[in-house]
Amino acid sequence: MSKIGKALITIVLMAFPAFAQPITSVEQLPALDRTKEDFYGAIVGAGPRVQVEWLMSSNSVERGGELILTLVVTNAANPSELQRPNLKDRPEFRELFDVIENLPEQPDPKRVEFRYKLRPRNEGTIVLPLPRYRYYVPQLPEGRRFQLANAPELKLTVTKPAPTSIAAVPISAPGEFFRLPSWWHESSANSPPSSEWRNTWWIAAMLFPLLASILGIASYRYFNPDAVKRAELLRRSEVRKTLQRLNDANDTEALATAIHSYLQDRWHIPTLGLSSREIADAFADVNIEGARELQQIFERCERLRFGGGNDSIPREDAKAWVLAVETESQ
Amino acid sequence: MNLQLLLLPALFASVSLDNSSDAAFHRGVRERANAAEARPAFAEAAKGYREYWHYKHQRGIALAWGRASYLAGDLPSAIAAFRFGLHYYPADAELLAGLRFCRAEATSLGAASVPPEGLRQRFTPGQRLAFAVLAMTFFAFGLLCQFTVRWRSSVAWMFIGILGLVTTAVLEWQCQREIAVDLAQPPCVVRFDTPLRTGNGESYAPLLPALLPRGTEARELARRGGWVQVQLESGEIGWLPEEMLVMQI
């Protein structure tokens, strides 16, 4: 086709746009037109013109109360492409209302509703600063295609909130939370303990038992010069037990029994049914001096037991013999 | 003399501060039947006590600050006040009771895991000292027996004493470690529900899927550009804005 032919077709289409392919989507518009101010995507199709209407849930609302504002757009050729005017972006609207939320749209192919939940900020009668709404009419000649929708102005009366009688709610907390510590102005009772004092207390408290123990040892040794030696002899429970028994013995039989037990427990010498001589011989096998003294003690016991006489029981001799044997065994 | 003169204004300021805070606290107590009236008074008292705490670390101030904060409805500040107080008075029964109550409240409101109480809270310094002295007494008694009457059991007494002393030393070491951790990583409390972020800015992604609930306790690791790096009890490390935290100054 020649250049002249193309130009003719363009002129015809511009003069009679109805002959062109019908525009039913924003995508078909030139890029500059898509970003036109106050244009939210509504395009007029083959049918009637686009109708725009703003509705309020109520003409009157209390301050602090809520209100639903609805924008209804009908007859748009492209309902799915319509955009929601953002009221939150409009300072004149934000001055008067707190836009709480944008409610979900109502899906309807012919009628599109955009709903807003608002809360008026101040009392009085106000005219809603509704945003202008342009729609696109492709059938009109260039320059006149964006038409402004006629939307009647909306007046809203914001009343004073009715006084509500809110019951006083008490504070719930444990009883002690409502008390201040009575001692808290006394600074001495409040200051954190210094680490120096704390360390001094620790050292003093720890050293006291140790020093007391050392003092006890020193004084014990001072008053008992042979204490160490005696303590060594008394380490065995058999020895302590034997000495106790010898102390408690009132007759020769008890004394002999105590010595028998000592020989059995300490030196493992069986004494049952043996004579005093045989016991002394058995003790001699232990290789400790004292077998003869042991025999003498037994003989004295037997003499006292069977012969009588004025001799006292050899308790002290027996104790001395036990200590001598233990000293020898060290 | 000159030094005393210099300190006089500070002294007067502190006295008037705690007196006005006390007055606000008592006003709140009088109005306690009506929370709407009482809470502002408690909030005023808590503000005063907080300022006074930074001036002087007294047990009573921490207690009063914690109680006033709780009554003012500021649970995070109450938790922080009791915790800061417990750093200096680790086994104070009243501070501990206050902290336990507030932590239970925070947990019921959804706060994240609560840090366990340390050994310093479980054993008072007096108890630790008494234990150490008892162990030392056992040891000294064993020593006395060993070097005097030479009882065989004296070695056992000494052994029990040494065991007690070692236990005390371990206990004390752990307590000192807790103090060191408190100083190196001071505790802080989340003031409002807020996301824990991976970096120090709003542009960084949240570390956790949910917001960090108010009253959650954490430890401060670092500060950068108005943001604080914190570590939660569960181990996560992230960033929070400074204004979202109650911190030790």
Side-chain angles (χ1 to χ4, degrees), chain A residues 37 81 91-92 100 107 128 147 160 165 179 187 239 301 310:
Chain A
E37 198 184 1
E81 287 183 331
E92 72 276 11
I100 301 169
L128 264 66
Q147 296 286 309
K160 207 173 183 175
S165 56
R179 284 193 295 273
S187 58
V239 180
C301 285
N310 294 328

Side-chain angles (χ1 to χ4, degrees), chain B residues 22-193:
Chain B
D22 281 1
F25 189 93
H26 291 307
R27 198 168 66 245
V29 172
R30 279 196 301 276
E31 299 286 345
R32 62 189 281 191
N34 186 356
E37 296 285 332
R39 287 204 195 283
F42 284 125
E44 185 190 331
K47 188 168 172 263
Y49 292 136
R50 182 187 161 88
E51 284 171 22
Y52 196 39
W53 169 258
H54 294 138
Y55 168 71
K56 201 165 192 179
H57 294 330
Q58 289 186 350
R59 183 162 73 117
I61 299 169
L63 197 59
W65 173 24
R67 287 177 176 176
S69 295
Y70 178 80
L71 295 171
D74 187 358
L75 187 62
S77 290
I79 293 174
F82 289 129
R83 267 197 90 169
F84 297 159
L86 281 167
H87 173 75
Y88 293 96
Y89 307 92
D92 184 84
E94 287 181 296
L95 288 170
L96 207 53
L99 180 65
R100 282 178 185 152
F101 177 80
C102 290
R103 276 180 170 170
E105 191 92 342
T107 310
S108 70
L109 292 173
S113 56
V114 170
E117 281 172 13
L119 285 175
R120 293 173 73 215
Q121 272 86 55
R122 289 185 207 161
F123 301 101
T124 65
Q127 284 172 335
R128 298 203 303 267
L129 181 62
F131 189 73
V133 170
L134 188 70
M136 184 52 107
T137 307
F138 270 63
F139 176 73
F141 182 69
L143 207 67
L144 185 70
C145 293
Q146 178 66 21
F147 287 97
T148 53
V149 290
R150 300 264 171 171
W151 282 356
R152 273 187 155 186
S153 55
S154 59
V155 178
W157 283 90
M158 286 166 74
F159 179 73
I160 292 170
I162 289 170
L163 208 66
L165 287 171
V166 170
T167 310
T168 311
V170 171
L171 194 70
E172 204 52 34
W173 173 76
Q174 179 61 25
C175 290
Q176 293 303 320
R177 208 171 137 258
E178 284 175 13
I179 294 172
V181 169
D182 261 6
L183 291 174
Q185 301 170 356
C188 52
V189 187
V190 176
R191 198 191 288 270
F192 304 108
D193 293 0

Side-chain angles (χ1 to χ4, degrees), chain A residues 250-281:
Chain A
N250 291 322
D251 51 25
T252 52
E253 197 178 343
L255 192 121
T257 309
I259 295 172
H260 279 238
S261 300
Y262 172 70
L263 291 170
Q264 283 171 9
D265 297 343
R266 175 74 174 90
W267 302 107
H268 309 291
I269 298 169
T271 57
L272 197 66
L274 298 180
S275 67
S276 57
R277 189 182 179 82
E278 286 166 337
I279 292 171
D281 289 344

